[in-house]
Amino acid sequence: MYREHIPYNFECSSEITKLPKNINEIDLVRIVGISCDNAIEESKVLIEQNQEAHIEIMAYSNERGEFEYEIQNKRGDSEISIKQIQQNGYSTKKSHSGLGLANINSIKNKYENMTISYEVPEGYFDFYLVIEPEEESEE
């Protein structure tokens, strides 16, 4: 974002030291990477069209181990189908494989305690991830 001169805001109000135990950190890094790449690519398109681009990112974790991550970016005026963008091979971008959000869904399906939602309020795309801590088993 910095290198591409895309205006952004990153908020992480406290150090994240604990994630739910069952979460593979590489899976989490892949999700964050894909969502950031998508926001950057859309922002670059807006800038090329002399439109305003902006990305907001938030990461949060609490002492229970709950983790939240949200990224919101400005987007063009085209209609977006939440169901369609998650399908393998679908892309709104030229010359793209359309695997990003499909890969995110396949990662999400590995974890019962992970929830991902997408929203497309007017002019924006919002990606929201919550990972609940695993329930402690009673023995």
Side-chain angles (χ1 to χ4, degrees):
M1 289 174 244
Y2 178 79
R3 187 179 68 235
E4 297 290 340
H5 306 288
I6 297 168
Y8 67 94
N9 183 49
F10 178 78
E11 178 184 335
C12 184
S13 58
S14 60
E15 186 176 351
I16 297 173
T17 59
K18 185 177 179 182
L19 294 172
K21 293 177 186 170
N22 70 317
I23 300 298
N24 179 322
E25 292 174 2
I26 299 300
D27 285 341
L28 186 56
V29 168
R30 286 184 65 209
I31 289 171
V32 170
I34 290 167
S35 64
C36 284
D37 285 347
N38 285 348
I40 290 167
E41 288 172 9
E42 179 66 14
S43 296
K44 286 167 65 175
V45 169
L46 290 175
I47 291 168
E48 287 171 7
Q49 297 171 348
N50 293 318
Q51 294 183 46
E52 183 182 349
H54 189 78
I55 299 173
E56 293 280 335
I57 303 171
M58 180 277 303
Y60 169 80
S61 182
N62 62 24
E63 55 283 339
R64 289 189 323 116
E66 179 182 52
F67 177 81
E68 293 180 44
Y69 165 76
E70 182 175 22
I71 183 165
Q72 184 181 72
N73 61 277
K74 285 189 164 251
R75 65 177 177 85
D77 293 332
S78 61
E79 289 296 315
I80 294 177
S81 162
I82 298 295
K83 185 176 181 180
Q84 198 172 30
I85 62 173
Q86 297 176 67
Q87 293 175 354
N88 198 5
Y90 179 80
S91 178
T92 59
K93 302 172 214 116
K94 294 176 183 174
S95 304
H96 279 259
S97 60
L99 298 177
L101 294 181
N103 284 340
I104 286 176
N105 276 341
S106 68
I107 294 169
K108 176 187 71 109
N109 291 336
K110 294 167 46 176
Y111 303 102
E112 289 184 15
N113 58 329
M114 182 182 289
T115 306
I116 294 176
S117 63
Y118 307 94
E119 292 185 19
V120 285
E122 190 168 327
Y124 288 90
F125 181 83
D126 191 22
F127 175 93
Y128 186 63
L129 163 75
V130 176
I131 305 172
E132 296 288 340
E134 282 188 300
E135 297 295 322
E136 298 291 326
S137 60
E138 296 179 25
E139 297 181 33

